[in-house]
Amino acid sequence: MFKRYSILFALLVFSFVSAQDEFLVKIPIKQQVAMASTVVEGKVVSKKSYWDTGRKNIYTVHTIDVSKVYKGASKQQIHLVSLGGVVGFQAQIAKPQLSLRPNAVGVFVVNAFDRTLEDFESTVPLYKAIGLSQGFYRYNLENTSVSNPFVRFSNPQKLDDTLKSLTGIEPKQMKAVDYFNKKKSSPLTQTNVAAVAAASAISSISPTQIAAGNKSVLTISGSGFGASQGEVFFRLADDGGATDFAVLETQIVSWTDSEIQVEVPGDAGSGAVKVKTVSNTEFSISGLVISHSYITVNYSDANIQGGKEVEYRPHHISSAQSGGAPSGNFDNGSYVFSYHTDFKNNTAAVTAFEDGFDDIVCGAGIDFKISSLSTSVKTPADDNINSISFDLVNTGILGQAISRFSGGYISDVNGDLSLYWAFKEIDYVFDESQTWDFDLDGNTTSSEFDFNAVARHETGHAAGLGHVIDNQKIMYFSATTGPLQTITSNSMFNPILSKITNDKNTTPPSFFTATDFSSCYQTSLHAQIFKEKSFIVFPNPVAEILSVESISPIQNAFIYDLKGSVLMHSSQREDKTSFSMDVSHLNPGIYFISLRNDQGVYSQKFIKN
């Protein structure tokens, strides 16, 4: 649970972040190459972010040194533009995204970028990747493989042969580069490294199932990690685990030769965990299961962690004030969504959307509702309108939930600064060019996409969930044609409820109002349970915050393990019928909570994830 904070008005900073979550559809490489104006091999040498003209979105420009041209004009450099970035205290992120860091190497399949950017001038062409991350075939320099979210080549020569076959021409070599040529060590050094690797390994990880993006800590045990901090890598959920990525320096809690503790980042997915020491020795262990993940914002600020990049999980709120008045996208504690006129006139689409939307709102407690009034806004914009629309989107993308965040400084009782991020606005947009099945009969054909399932996926993002590497869950990063309605939203309920419970118990800056549960969650689920017993405990299973509600004031509560040992105790000095306990430090397993109220003593089992 967050500490209670006081506001530092003198240091208050407002910034706006847009998170864009998209359900990917596979674009075969043959189709990608046919659509592309340019296909090149190259290396990212720098990147910088800019506003577009009109300041509607922020884009990041990646400068790429070209080594080989398969299609298009021969250029020594190109600029690859991707949605998202940071300009001063304003930022925007896009998920899934083409995540590129300097020194990333591979083949880029691109088309012309058709927008202008503020304060940006260059004679070098601007491009965008086809299908976002699908348009980058990343070279894995450790094992010589090549991959994008849907395709893997065992080595770059196989990709090279495929591209030559598709283009029908020999590529033009712009510069001779061997990206896989590593600097050779002396025989003695190689022997020493081999001996160290043979005597060292990761022996275990704990827990083996964990949530991502909520600062849950994974412990990696073994030997040979060294005394100096290296790097920890997780599989990337946004591309189904096709690639891995390194955690932020600030997410490594501790590092010794035999044990590493690391916060699991929001983009992490199930699969192998890798450790890379400062001497470049690598260890890996499989078996990690990410049960669910949360959308996060990465931000660096000179006042926090010495300017190092920090990951934040944005909060849902009940209102955001601007000039002393609530923004138009809130109403009595709810995020209010408005259908675009064309969407509202499509009765089948509305029915399919609300079937999933209402299920998640009432099953998970997120405080969303839909206005009876429609909007003329079709294309998502920062306009204080939570819109739902059909529009043209990028090729390979079924839908997007675009969330804009607002943030400000807060300080704890010790004067330590943190940033509080909150969902300010959320827009849905679905690809109007797709063949959708709006019926709820489960008979989606092989040429149709299940609209209800896509709407549920995007509502999960709107409620703060990220992707998982599990194609049996609705939050998997991609979708195929055919029926998906058998994949329920049940796996979302407890993660969203846990998040909203945490949000409800934070103290936001004064320009935000803390959220509450949706009225249908309280009136349906709570009322039903209260008929059966005098208290409820939720969420169950729980990752962080365990909440209790009772029909009469709670006097005290105890948490026991299976051996009967008391692990936690809470006494209530006021006549409260609800309270929360932070159980994030408990190991995964089965526990019991015992409560006393004026009706007697009651116990209930709960599971800690």
Side-chain angles (χ1 to χ4, degrees):
M1 185 184 299
F2 274 65
K3 297 178 180 178
R4 301 191 70 86
Y5 294 100
S6 61
I7 311 303
L8 294 185
F9 288 102
L11 292 175
L12 191 63
V13 173
F14 297 90
S15 48
F16 302 93
V17 179
S18 171
Q20 185 161 308
D21 299 281
E22 302 151 346
F23 219 177
L24 289 181
V25 179
K26 181 180 178 179
I27 308 173
I29 188 171
K30 181 178 180 179
Q31 183 181 346
Q32 288 183 42
V33 173
M35 295 169 60
S37 63
T38 301
V39 180
V40 300
E41 177 192 69
K43 178 179 180 179
V44 179
V45 294
S46 65
K47 66 177 185 178
K48 186 176 180 180
S49 299
Y50 302 86
W51 278 104
D52 63 359
T53 302
R55 292 191 164 231
K56 293 182 179 179
N57 290 291
I58 294 174
Y59 293 88
T60 297
V61 178
H62 304 83
T63 301
I64 297 169
D65 275 355
V66 176
S67 54
K68 190 182 295 184
V69 178
Y70 289 93
K71 183 178 180 180
S74 299
K75 298 287 185 180
Q76 296 289 341
Q77 281 190 338
I78 66 170
H79 290 315
L80 181 63
V81 182
S82 62
L83 184 64
V86 179
V87 180
F89 276 100
Q90 300 183 70
Q92 181 170 312
I93 60 174
K95 290 175 59 65
Q97 60 189 333
L98 176 54
S99 180
L100 295 174
R101 296 183 180 183
N103 299 317
V105 176
V107 170
F108 301 85
V109 185
V110 299
N111 265 335
F113 179 74
D114 56 3
R115 292 176 175 84
T116 58
L117 304 176
E118 262 192 11
D119 302 321
F120 178 82
E121 294 182 4
S122 176
T123 58
V124 178
L126 272 66
Y127 296 96
K128 62 180 179 181
I130 291 178
L132 294 180
S133 52
Q134 299 185 66
F136 176 48
Y137 291 80
R138 188 187 304 267
Y139 289 179
N140 185 331
L141 304 185
E142 304 302 327
N143 62 17
T144 74
S145 65
V146 183
S147 61
N148 80 354
F150 297 102
V151 178
R152 180 183 175 89
F153 295 89
S154 58
N155 57 68
Q157 186 60 51
K158 291 187 180 297
L159 174 60
D160 182 80
D161 292 341
T162 300
L163 292 173
K164 287 189 291 188
S165 174
L166 292 173
T167 60
I169 59 174
E170 282 291 321
K172 182 175 181 179
Q173 193 78 42
M174 304 299 293
K175 62 173 67 174
V177 180
D178 184 358
Y179 295 115
F180 296 91
N181 182 27
K182 297 181 179 179
K183 185 178 180 180
K184 303 293 183 181
S185 301
S186 67
L188 179 61
T189 302
Q190 289 180 329
T191 301
N192 290 341
V193 169
V196 170
S200 310
I202 299 175
S203 59
S204 66
I205 51 175
S206 178
T208 56
Q209 179 170 311
I210 199 168
N214 64 347
K215 296 190 178 299
S216 294
V217 175
L218 181 74
T219 299
I220 305 170
S221 301
S223 60
F225 303 147
S228 300
Q229 181 172 308
E231 294 181 288
V232 178
F233 296 80
F234 289 89
R235 306 309 294 173
L236 180 63
D238 283 349
D239 65 9
T243 58
D244 57 24
F245 69 100
V247 305
L248 302 176
E249 181 184 346
T250 54
Q251 291 175 314
I252 297 178
V253 179
S254 63
W255 185 296
T256 69
D257 186 66
S258 60
E259 182 181 278
I260 301 166
Q261 289 193 315
V262 58
E263 294 175 357
V264 182
D267 288 337
S270 300
V273 180
K274 186 171 72 176
V275 171
K276 187 174 183 179
T277 70
V278 292
S279 61
N280 289 324
T281 304
E282 293 187 3
F283 309 108
S284 180
I285 188 170
S286 59
L288 179 67
V289 175
I290 303 292
S291 58
H292 58 278
S293 69
Y294 295 102
I295 290 173
T296 56
V297 175
N298 287 0
Y299 197 83
S300 58
D301 181 81
N303 294 306
I304 300 170
Q305 293 276 7
K308 296 177 181 177
E309 197 169 5
V310 178
E311 183 178 81
Y312 299 91
R313 182 172 65 164
H315 304 276
H316 284 84
I317 51 175
S318 67
S319 68
Q321 294 181 350
S322 176
S327 297
N329 49 2
F330 296 99
D331 178 48
N332 194 29
S334 296
Y335 289 78
V336 180
F337 294 84
S338 299
Y339 292 124
H340 178 258
T341 306
D342 292 344
F343 194 107
K344 189 172 184 178
N345 290 337
N346 187 334
T347 305
V350 169
T351 300
F353 180 85
E354 292 184 3
D355 177 80
F357 183 87
D358 292 346
D359 187 26
I360 294 169
V361 168
C362 295
I366 187 75
D367 201 4
F368 289 173
K369 68 181 182 180
I370 298 175
S371 173
S372 59
L373 302 176
S374 59
T375 176
S376 60
V377 174
K378 185 173 185 178
T379 302
D382 187 357
D383 54 9
N384 285 335
I385 300 174
N386 299 316
S387 62
I388 304 168
S389 66
F390 285 111
D391 201 356
L392 287 174
V393 299
N394 290 333
T395 303
I397 298 167
L398 292 175
Q400 303 170 331
I402 304 167
S403 301
R404 295 174 176 84
F405 308 116
S406 172
Y409 280 117
I410 50 180
S411 172
D412 65 16
V413 293
N414 297 317
D416 295 327
L417 285 176
S418 181
L419 276 167
Y420 187 103
W421 294 92
F423 284 76
K424 171 182 173 285
E425 182 183 326
I426 306 166
D427 296 317
Y428 289 80
V429 59
F430 299 96
D431 186 6
E432 65 183 12
S433 69
Q434 296 294 344
T435 302
W436 293 107
D437 175 30
F438 298 113
D439 296 333
L440 299 173
D441 56 9
N443 294 325
T444 306
T445 70
S446 59
S447 62
E448 298 174 317
F449 286 100
D450 188 334
F451 186 78
N452 178 265
V454 176
R456 288 172 184 264
H457 178 97
E458 300 307 333
T459 300
H461 285 316
L465 296 186
H467 290 126
V468 294
I469 303 178
D470 184 346
N471 62 11
Q472 296 304 303
K473 288 186 176 181
I474 201 74
M475 296 312 296
Y476 188 60
F477 80 104
S478 72
T480 59
T481 54
L484 293 174
Q485 289 153 347
T486 55
I487 301 178
T488 70
S489 302
N490 293 352
S491 59
M492 295 183 185
F493 294 162
N494 282 332
I496 296 173
L497 178 58
S498 177
K499 180 188 182 303
I500 299 306
T501 302
N502 178 276
D503 296 344
K504 184 175 181 288
N505 286 281
T506 62
T507 302
S510 60
F511 46 90
F512 297 136
T513 304
T515 191
D516 207 337
F517 300 113
S518 61
S519 58
C520 64
Y521 174 80
Q522 292 175 311
T523 56
S524 62
L525 182 61
H526 284 53
Q528 178 182 348
I529 296 177
F530 276 142
K531 289 179 182 178
E532 301 171 1
K533 52 187 174 182
S534 66
F535 76 95
I536 61 171
V537 175
F538 62 96
N540 190 7
V542 60
E544 303 172 56
I545 306 299
L546 187 70
S547 294
V548 179
E549 293 188 8
S550 170
I551 60 174
S552 60
I554 301 166
Q555 298 168 8
N556 53 50
F558 296 86
I559 290 180
Y560 301 85
D561 61 17
L562 290 175
K563 297 179 181 179
S565 302
V566 176
L567 305 179
M568 298 178 67
H569 171 231
S570 176
S571 297
Q572 306 302 310
R573 297 181 179 179
E574 303 175 11
D575 290 338
K576 291 184 177 181
T577 58
S578 65
F579 73 98
S580 298
M581 299 177 74
D582 186 350
V583 296
S584 59
H585 64 285
L586 296 180
N587 293 325
I590 298 174
Y591 299 88
F592 291 89
I593 183 168
S594 177
L595 303 170
R596 177 184 292 276
N597 61 19
D598 57 12
Q599 304 292 311
V601 178
Y602 304 88
S603 294
Q604 180 174 320
K605 179 176 71 175
F606 70 92
I607 298 172
K608 168 64 171 61
N609 280 338

